[in-house]
Each structure stands twice: as structure tokens, then as C-alpha cells.
Amino acid sequence: MGRFNGKSETDLLADTVASLPAEVAAWTPEQRQQFTTQSDRAMREQNGVDPNAA
């Protein structure tokens, strides 16, 4: 996932959260993975680390 759309990783995290069910217990394993991946990318960006770094 790149930043070709001009949004920060934190903005993309907000979009991800908005697209998920309100109850975390209702999330599928795929939705949990999507959230975790984007959350990690946003955290790295906020800490000044390349979000694409492993």
C-alpha cells in the first residue's frame, strides 16, 4: 500500500477503522490483519520510521 493517493498512513488507518464493524468481536481474521497491518504502518510513520520498513 503506497501513498500515491496523498494520504498519510494515519489517514489510511482512519479509513480502515471506519470500514470495519463497530464491534471488534465481529471482525473476521482478515479484518483483524488489515487493521493490524495499517496500525503498524501508521505507528512507524508517526515515529519517523519508513512505513515500508519491515
Side-chain angles (χ1 to χ4, degrees), residues 11-23:
D11 291 337
L12 293 173
L13 176 59
D15 292 346
T16 298
V17 170
S19 72
L20 294 171
E23 294 292 325

Side-chain angles (χ1 to χ4, degrees), residues 26-50:
W27 294 3
T28 65
E30 292 79 17
Q31 289 170 319
R32 288 177 187 269
Q33 182 61 40
Q34 178 186 14
F35 171 80
T36 301
T37 299
Q38 190 56 44
S39 178
D40 289 348
R41 292 178 61 82
M43 178 187 62
R44 287 192 299 268
E45 178 185 67
Q46 291 167 6
N47 289 320
V49 178
D50 180 2

